[in-house]
Amino acid sequence: MDRVSSFDEPLLKLLGGATAKVMAEHLDLHTVGDLLHHYPRRYEERGKLTALADLPLDEHVTVVAQVADARILMFNNGRGKRLEVTLTDGSGRLQLVFFGHGVHKPHKELIPGRQAMFAGKVSVFNRKMQLAHPTYQLLDASDADEATEAVDAFAGRLLPIYPACKQLDSWRIAKAVDAVLPSARDAVDPLPASLREGRGFTPLPEALLKVHRPQTKADVEDARARLKWDEAFVLQVALARRRYADTQLPAVARRPVADGLLDAFDAKLPFTLTEGQEKVSKEIFDDLATEHPMHRLLQGEVGSGKTMVALRAMLTVVDAGGQAAMLAPTEVLAQQHHRSITEMMGELAEGGMLGGSDRGTKVVLLTGSMGMAARRQALLDLVTGEAGIVIGTHALIEDKIRFHDLGLVVVDEQHRFGVEQRDALRSKGKQPPHLLVMTATPIPRTVAMTVFGDLETSVLDQLPAGRSPIASHVVPAKDKPHFLARAWERVREEVENGHQAYVVCPRIGDDAEEAEGKGGKKTKARKQAADEDPEKRPPLAVLEIADELRKGALAGLSVEVLHGRMHPDDKDDVMRRFAAGDVDVLVATTVIEVGVNVPNATAMVIMDADRFGVSQLHQLRGRVGRGSAPGLCLLVSEAHEASPARARLSAVAATLDGFELSRIDLEQRREGDVLGQAQSGVRSSLRMLTVIDDEEVIAAAREEAVAVVAADPELEHLPELRTVLAALLDKDREEYLDKG
């Protein structure tokens, strides 16, 4: 056990309270093992200067550069002092600025010709890149012992630059790593010996030493290749075990029935299914016909017809004597699904009712805000089996709800549902029901293999005929205010042509803290902060923007609001009137992100678009261009032209391909965010592996993992792999994976 315990040793014991506290709070590093797996982001060569020309805005950076010039400036009638230092590296220049009492030490140390490492957040002042109050470490020889030591430590070596935070610089992290590095020899190796030797990998302790303190670039390559494999393999083993466990569960096979509900439904469809829909339906029907639970992920572009595919699967299950439940993330969406499914089914959705089809079934809606009488009737229809299809929100998984025979669960927008909720719903069947998960956020294949590795994947990448193209443009509201004025003119033109528009804002507004009275001071403080720095202003709000538009740019048009704090009846009323064409412009939060289908809406203006993620913008944009008229999406932003936020918006404007966008999204974010969202507990174990670039490693690791689990499902002959898995999946995480 000693071999494991040195990795489990708390950092507090080795590093002292202050450093350990910062590491825990800001970098999520708690143990020796955590710190040893906190790998350098990149390496600087001693004496080689970083390219200042490529510094990213708004990010914490570490640069190695030379002082070109340093001067003290007075301001405020001589009462204030400012030290300005110019750095150079041949590729560009960067300004450092120090204020007040903080100028004395750097003024003595940062003299022209000196070389040092600097860390801070890149900002723009007077159109120049700068670091305000950066921390720094001199790299030239000087009298001070510490500086000499630093030179010795770095001379002739590759300088590791660690992911750092404001409170802890890269070189302080490097010192902490030195303190724990001897523990690397106790590393438990998760790779089976045959795999390790067969692929010629460096032993794990050696890989850890090489990644933190490489002598050469070849050391870095060696270490990275090995550590990437560990991450990919351990995660794929966890997923392979989960898939294996699922195949051992019993389920009721639900086979299609001739001349049943599905055939009647297909016969009345006014259009032909796309090739993709036919293919994916077959995959699902094959799964439903087996005697262990289907676990399938159905992903496809906005508007590719996922709901149609899911409905046909539900009808098959009803034909086979079972019931199907569809979970939606919001009441608005549950109501929308209920409406569109009953419309698509017509008299087939009125089983047992006057005028209903004798082959029909009942389609019931169940949400938290329903009246008691309607709710009681819905519950009765579920328990008697009268209702073959139920559509609802989380209300569907309350304890008191009972099904007659739940055969299929369809989860819409997977990332909004906790695993515990999916599990609670699955426990409602006599045996585990089949599970179909739908997502409208296209996921690159590698991510699907890593994040949803326990689910079989079906992809719908064809759009049905009749969908119109959507033109997207970035509107730089700060640099070119006349562009924003033109955006509102475009909205007016769309309305004059008989169409409708959405305006989306990140916030509802009128928060309790912003109300007059108690929160008055906060409002003033916020306004002041916004005046000084636009980045600090709160995101634009639905209620404020709607008010401004009614009085200004869109005066005379019918402008309504929609947001999550409204009463469900009011929300439904607004949506109905918008769908009926009685409302010209709907100012909303992201409640319209998924499922809202108004073919007459052709324009969308997204305010503060840089505050949304790439996939969310793609989802929102999918609400327009749903009819025969072309769509228009305007992404309004005050972000600086050189910022990552603007680059993200330009990428969204440049392509309508969701799979391409999801790759861009991943390249710009850390995989941990993606994994964290989708895998809850699996502590983002990806430190070295980049899901988007390491497709071959992931695919190969998956093959090896499947073979290992098939041969030894309990990993009885691989105790080291079991140990590492246990560390990755603590009790909560283990349960999380078990639940799928």
Side-chain angles (χ1 to χ4, degrees):
M1 281 311 290
D2 291 341
R3 298 173 64 206
V4 187
S5 60
S6 76
F7 260 49
D8 290 340
E9 189 100 24
L11 288 172
L12 192 59
K13 273 191 181 176
L14 292 158
L15 301 181
T19 305
K21 186 170 185 245
V22 171
M23 285 193 166
E25 285 177 8
H26 297 280
L27 297 169
D28 196 21
L29 305 174
H30 307 274
T31 64
V32 167
D34 289 346
L35 183 52
L36 284 173
H37 289 302
H38 187 70
Y39 307 129
R41 189 193 295 275
R42 58 191 171 86
Y43 303 86
E44 287 293 353
E45 290 178 61
R46 179 81 180 90
K48 169 179 168 279
L49 300 180
T50 313
L52 295 181
D54 318 326
L55 286 181
L57 196 60
D58 286 340
E59 284 188 26
H60 283 281
V61 297
T62 303
V63 297
V64 179
Q66 199 165 5
V67 177
D69 176 42
R71 60 187 183 283
I72 291 232
L73 303 171
M74 300 299 205
F75 60 92
N76 212 354
N77 293 331
R79 288 198 296 277
K81 269 185 186 177
R82 182 167 84 236
L83 170 65
E84 285 186 0
V85 179
T86 306
L87 303 181
T88 180
D89 69 344
S91 79
R93 295 166 88 78
L94 176 68
Q95 192 162 296
L96 312 179
V97 59
F98 301 87
F99 293 100
H101 300 301
V103 305
H104 305 300
K105 187 168 179 260
H107 188 225
K108 278 196 299 199
E109 294 180 334
L110 299 177
I111 52 178
R114 269 274 163 89
Q115 195 179 331
M117 264 198 298
F118 302 89
K121 190 176 181 184
V122 184
S123 58
V124 169
F125 181 71
N126 277 347
R127 297 191 176 276
K128 281 185 190 160
M129 294 269 203
Q130 72 164 25
L131 298 182
H133 279 285
T135 50
Y136 62 90
Q137 183 178 3
L138 298 171
L139 290 180
D140 355 24
S142 83
D143 302 337
D145 291 346
E146 202 175 320
T148 312
E149 223 173 85
V151 172
D152 292 343
F154 295 122
R157 284 251 183 113
L158 289 168
L159 264 178
I161 305 291
Y162 286 92
C165 61
K166 189 177 170 186
Q167 297 78 359
L168 201 64
D169 314 306
S170 170
W171 47 90
R172 292 207 184 100
I173 295 172
K175 272 189 176 162
V177 169
D178 284 336
V180 302
L181 211 46
S183 298
R185 62 175 173 270
D186 298 334
V188 176
D189 197 325
L191 296 189
S194 58
L195 194 161
R196 197 169 59 235
E197 286 149 20
R199 290 185 178 266
F201 285 132
T202 305
L204 184 55
E206 194 186 315
L208 288 169
L209 286 169
K210 280 181 170 178
V211 81
H212 288 293
R213 298 293 171 262
Q215 301 292 328
T216 63
K217 287 181 179 174
D219 282 354
V220 176
E221 288 310 306
D222 250 16
R224 290 179 73 96
R226 167 67 218 251
L227 296 166
K228 276 182 181 184
W229 244 92
D230 282 19
E231 289 177 5
F233 180 72
V234 171
L235 187 56
Q236 291 300 339
V237 167
L239 293 167
R241 289 183 77 192
R242 190 157 133 189
R243 280 197 305 278
Y244 179 83
D246 284 338
T247 62
Q248 305 307 300
L249 289 173
V252 178
R254 311 283 178 174
R255 297 184 179 90
V257 172
D259 292 329
L261 195 51
L262 177 65
D263 285 351
F265 175 73
D266 284 350
K268 65 194 284 300
L269 276 182
F271 52 82
T272 329
L273 295 175
T274 65
E275 234 173 274
Q277 285 174 320
E278 292 277 17
K279 178 175 142 288
V280 169
S281 287
K282 183 179 182 325
E283 290 169 354
I284 293 171
F285 293 159
D286 289 349
D287 277 3
L288 289 174
T290 60
E291 288 178 355
H292 58 82
M294 163 171 84
H295 284 89
R296 191 167 278 281
L297 173 71
L298 171 56
Q299 54 161 328
E301 283 288 8
V302 177
S304 58
K306 289 182 301 295
T307 311
M308 172 62 70
V309 168
L311 175 55
R312 294 181 76 240
M314 293 197 284
L315 296 176
T316 300
V317 169
V318 175
D319 274 343
Q323 289 168 294
M326 183 185 235
L327 258 70
T330 62
E331 291 211 349
V332 167
L333 193 52
Q335 287 161 344
Q336 183 100 21
H337 275 319
H338 181 253
R339 217 168 19 245
S340 64
I341 282 175
T342 47
E343 276 168 15
M344 281 198 272
M345 286 177 65
E347 76 282 1
L348 296 174
E350 295 164 2
M353 291 188 249
L354 201 62
S357 162
D358 54 355
R359 281 192 288 187
T361 186
K362 255 192 187 179
V363 179
V364 301
L365 176 69
L366 192 60
T367 60
S369 63
M370 281 168 75
M372 276 316 292
R375 187 179 173 75
R376 249 197 310 270
Q377 183 59 53
L379 293 176
L380 186 65
D381 287 341
L382 282 187
V383 81
T384 58
E386 190 82 9
I389 295 176
V390 56
I391 295 155
T393 55
H394 300 74
L396 270 186
I397 46 187
E398 286 168 10
D399 287 344
K400 53 180 173 270
I401 291 173
R402 294 280 170 266
F403 289 85
H404 176 63
D405 179 12
L406 181 60
L408 170 67
V409 176
V410 179
V411 178
D412 189 15
E413 285 308 296
Q414 137 84 8
H415 59 280
R416 294 165 178 246
F417 273 104
V419 168
E420 293 73 17
Q421 294 160 329
R422 273 204 280 163
D423 192 53
L425 187 54
R426 273 170 53 178
S427 66
K428 297 216 171 277
K430 292 170 184 166
Q431 288 189 340
H434 298 280
L435 177 69
L436 180 65
V437 169
M438 299 199 295
T439 174
T441 308
I443 306 163
R445 177 174 161 264
T446 37
V447 186
M449 281 192 326
T450 307
V451 179
F452 298 106
D454 62 319
L455 301 172
E456 296 298 327
T457 306
S458 292
V459 177
L460 275 175
D461 46 15
Q462 271 177 304
L463 287 189
R467 292 298 299 260
S468 301
I470 305 169
S472 308
H473 304 283
V474 179
V475 178
K478 198 172 171 197
D479 312 342
K480 299 180 175 163
H482 59 287
F483 275 37
L484 182 58
R486 176 69 188 124
W488 299 126
E489 280 173 21
R490 283 291 291 111
V491 168
R492 205 176 257 289
E493 285 163 15
E494 289 299 311
V495 172
E496 281 165 5
N497 288 330
H499 298 300
Q500 292 159 279
Y502 298 99
V503 176
V504 182
C505 303
R507 209 171 100 250
I508 296 172
D510 193 22
D511 304 342
E513 69 186 40
E514 289 173 64
E516 278 313 314
K518 198 167 61 172
K521 283 182 188 162
K522 279 192 183 173
T523 311
K524 272 185 195 157
R526 276 182 170 204
K527 282 190 175 133
Q528 203 173 331
D531 290 342
E532 289 165 22
D533 180 0
E535 293 295 309
K536 287 186 182 147
R537 72 162 171 75
L540 294 172
V542 165
L543 300 175
E544 291 152 26
I545 293 291
D547 210 39
E548 281 174 31
L549 292 175
R550 285 186 191 114
K551 291 173 184 164
L554 302 182
L557 300 187
S558 153
V559 177
E560 294 271 3
V561 300
L562 180 70
H563 58 74
R565 278 211 310 263
M566 288 164 64
H567 186 280
D569 291 349
D570 297 338
K571 277 194 275 198
D572 207 33
D573 176 56
V574 171
M575 268 317 302
R576 274 180 196 286
R577 287 188 295 115
F578 187 65
D582 301 336
V583 173
D584 297 325
V585 179
L586 189 63
V587 184
T589 55
T590 54
V591 292
I592 61 144
E593 181 185 346
V594 284
V596 173
N597 183 23
V598 179
N600 191 44
T602 52
M604 175 176 285
V605 180
I606 303 178
M607 307 302 291
D608 274 343
D610 47 281
R611 311 229 183 178
F612 297 100
V614 169
S615 61
Q616 206 172 21
L617 291 169
H618 183 58
Q619 283 279 76
L620 286 165
R621 170 172 63 185
R623 301 301 109 213
V624 295
R626 298 176 80 86
S628 52
L632 173 69
C633 179
L634 301 173
L635 306 164
V636 179
S637 168
E638 288 188 9
H640 187 275
E641 200 169 351
S643 67
R646 273 286 284 279
R648 225 174 33 237
L649 295 184
S650 301
V652 173
T655 179
L656 290 173
D657 180 340
F659 286 90
E660 173 61 24
L661 284 174
S662 63
R663 285 188 79 87
I664 291 166
D665 196 15
L666 257 184
E667 280 160 9
Q668 293 190 340
R669 289 159 51 197
R670 282 178 48 243
E671 269 85 7
D673 304 342
V674 181
L675 288 181
Q677 257 187 3
Q679 298 206 166
S680 161
V682 184
R683 190 173 80 220
S684 177
S685 50
L686 302 196
R687 311 284 166 101
M688 186 64 81
L689 192 74
T690 51
V691 173
I692 209 74
D693 297 327
D694 297 317
E695 189 157 342
E696 284 166 24
V697 175
I698 292 168
R702 183 176 172 119
E703 262 177 54
E704 295 277 10
V706 169
V708 163
V709 171
D712 182 2
E714 295 305 315
L715 307 179
E716 284 169 18
H717 306 297
L718 298 166
E720 292 84 2
L721 179 54
R722 261 209 329 270
T723 301
V724 173
L725 266 178
L728 173 72
L729 316 168
D730 60 24
K731 193 75 199 101
D732 295 347
R733 297 177 184 128
E734 191 65 78
E735 280 176 15
Y736 179 95
L737 283 176
D738 283 347
K739 289 172 182 175

